[in-house]
Amino acid sequence: MDAATLTYDTLRFEYEDFPETKEPVWILGRKYSVFTEKEEILLDVTSRLWFTYRKNFPAIGGTGPTSDTGWGCMLRCGQMIFAQALVCRHLGRDWRWIKGKRQMDNYFNVLNAFIDKKDSYYSIHQIAQMGVGEGKSIGQWYGPNTVAQVLKKLATFDTWSSLAVHIAMDNTVVMEEIRRLCQSNFSCAGAAAFPAVESDLLYNGYPEEAGVRDRLSLWKPLVLLIPLRLGLTEINEAYIETLKHCFMMPQSLGVIGGKPNSAHYFIGYVGEELIYLDPHTTQPAVEPNESGCLPDESFHCQHPPCRMSIAELDPSIAVLSLVRGALPMFELVERQPSHFSNPDVLNLTPDSSDADRLERFFDSEDEDFEILSL
């Protein structure tokens, strides 16, 4: 097997252990102490699915690229944050990956949804080809808004997970829109593609003895994206505490963001530093072995995660929390204001002014960070 290739970004630093600090370490809603829980911190990080550049996978579209090195970092970050949604959906936040330990079938079902082949739900092939409809050529670098839109569309085909994916517009979360999206799984045209109600996996934590009628009324799990900009050329310090609070939320899936060649998946913070997984390592594509099992060690980061100062963040981010005394970053309203267009883009037939606004919103590559919550 070819050795992994380190690209420019991972050569800028050596991996460092966590600093000896009294400050708590927050990883996707979990609080840890460096002094007493260092192993638990590293195990939590290692258990996140880590997607990096790959090479020698089947050509995208049959004749396209066989590697995403140099252009796929944001696509890989999108895979990582969406994989965390699927892990929470099917395995739970307490699930841990341990090297050499036999994992349950649902783990491999989640992993297989991202494998580099054309028929995986969220493969590099599917993301790249779906991006053509968003104005991105295969092999072209994505911004976070583009990858979010593509993942939203791909999620409609993932009937096993049955996620509702919503992108909030204009710094505003409209509760009425959320309810409509999450409760329409059996009343909309796509209801026929919904998984059979006999599948207990579909209703995590719901009592088995519950009647079918009660099951049908369940809230569809939500992945919510709220793109924001918190400054002009650098992040406004007034928002830092609110941003930190996002990683304290138990529903947090993290943050993805970056500019060309430097996209990262942020999963937590310690002190004034963000903790992130870096996709800028090229590994060989993975194929099932002779027994049909998928070697999975390369999908888990088994060294201490990278860290960077919060001040280094690009000001384009998206958040899902409010902190008392901190500057709020978005508005929560019950109903859609009359001057807004419908934020559910997939169901929108905009007029020309709305179309211009949506094009600016989704094609703007200076909106560089996204946070999702399940």
Side-chain angles (χ1 to χ4, degrees):
M1 179 177 290
D2 296 333
T5 301
L6 297 181
T7 57
Y8 84 99
D9 209 30
T10 50
L11 296 178
R12 294 189 305 175
F13 51 81
E14 294 182 356
Y15 297 115
E16 299 177 354
D17 206 349
F18 283 96
E20 298 294 324
T21 175
K22 294 181 179 179
E23 295 278 358
V25 176
W26 284 93
I27 304 290
L28 299 177
R30 297 296 171 87
K31 182 180 180 181
Y32 298 99
S33 166
V34 173
F35 295 109
T36 61
E37 299 175 295
K38 183 174 291 186
E39 290 187 6
E40 288 83 352
I41 295 172
L42 296 177
L43 182 58
D44 197 346
V45 172
T46 299
S47 298
R48 302 314 107 213
L49 284 173
W50 180 46
F51 297 114
T52 71
Y53 292 148
R54 297 275 174 172
K55 61 182 179 179
N56 301 326
F57 50 64
I60 297 175
T63 58
T66 59
S67 172
D68 62 311
T69 299
W71 61 271
C73 56
M74 180 60 76
L75 283 68
R76 297 299 185 179
C77 289
Q79 286 182 320
M80 283 191 273
I81 201 166
F82 223 75
Q84 181 60 21
L86 266 62
V87 165
C88 290
R89 176 75 169 113
H90 299 292
L91 302 172
R93 181 63 181 88
D94 293 329
W95 170 82
R96 295 293 181 266
W97 180 85
I98 300 175
K99 184 177 180 179
K101 180 181 178 181
R102 180 178 176 83
Q103 293 293 334
M104 62 186 71
D105 290 344
N106 272 1
Y107 161 74
F108 288 103
N109 290 338
V110 170
L111 185 56
N112 274 306
F114 297 89
I115 295 300
D116 300 320
K117 55 184 182 180
K118 65 179 181 179
D119 55 350
S120 296
Y121 287 129
Y122 309 104
S123 66
I124 195 81
H125 298 66
Q126 293 280 9
I127 297 174
Q129 291 185 290
M130 184 67 78
V132 173
E134 298 294 320
K136 296 293 184 180
S137 301
I138 294 176
Q140 184 177 358
W141 191 87
Y142 284 19
N145 290 322
T146 300
V147 77
Q149 273 299 101
V150 168
L151 288 168
K152 174 178 179 177
K153 291 181 178 180
L154 292 176
T156 63
F157 301 98
D158 181 7
T159 55
W160 177 56
S161 300
S162 186
L163 296 172
V165 182
H166 182 69
I167 303 173
M169 302 280 290
D170 300 302
N171 300 358
T172 304
V173 177
V174 182
M175 295 304 298
E176 185 178 60
E177 289 295 328
I178 299 295
R179 294 190 188 96
R180 180 188 62 79
L181 183 65
C182 293
Q183 294 177 352
S184 64
N185 47 334
F186 282 94
S187 59
C188 66
F194 202 80
V197 296
E198 286 80 11
S199 172
D200 289 328
L201 293 175
L202 191 60
Y203 308 97
N204 291 350
Y206 204 84
E208 293 184 3
E209 64 275 9
V212 171
R213 179 174 299 178
D214 292 333
R215 290 185 174 194
L216 297 182
S217 66
L218 286 178
W219 174 273
K220 196 175 184 180
L222 172 70
V223 174
L224 177 63
L225 305 91
I226 313 175
L228 300 172
R229 187 173 183 87
L230 305 181
L232 295 176
T233 59
E234 58 186 28
I235 190 168
N236 188 326
E237 292 184 0
Y239 294 110
I240 289 179
E241 291 305 312
T242 313
L243 176 61
K244 288 181 179 180
H245 190 76
C246 294
F247 296 105
M248 301 179 189
M249 299 176 63
Q251 302 90 349
S252 175
L253 300 178
V255 175
I256 62 173
K259 294 184 176 179
N261 299 323
S262 61
H264 304 300
Y265 173 37
F266 298 90
I267 59 174
Y269 81 94
V270 55
E272 299 304 313
E273 292 184 315
L274 293 177
I275 300 165
Y276 66 95
L277 297 179
D278 189 351
H280 298 91
T281 297
T282 302
Q283 305 185 83
V286 172
E287 296 282 348
N289 57 30
E290 294 180 356
S291 62
C293 295
L294 185 69
D296 65 338
E297 290 187 16
S298 66
F299 295 101
H300 296 275
C301 183
Q302 298 177 60
H303 54 67
C306 308
R307 304 193 311 275
M308 68 182 295
S309 170
I310 296 178
E312 295 180 37
L313 275 179
D314 186 278
S316 295
I317 65 173
V319 298
L320 196 59
S321 65
L322 296 174
V323 181
R324 182 172 298 178
L327 197 59
M329 296 187 287
F330 67 91
E331 183 180 7
L332 185 67
V333 299
E334 178 61 30
R335 292 180 175 81
Q336 179 175 292
S338 58
H339 62 282
F340 281 11
S341 64
N342 190 329
D344 187 353
V345 176
L346 291 184
N347 297 326
L348 176 65
T349 304
D351 58 28
S352 58
S353 61
D354 286 337
D356 291 343
R357 184 175 63 84
L358 291 172
E359 181 177 1
R360 289 195 302 272
F361 181 84
F362 288 118
D363 289 345
S364 174
E365 301 304 358
D366 63 354
E367 306 241 45
D368 292 327
F369 291 84
E370 306 288 348
I371 183 169
L372 294 81
S373 181
L374 178 68

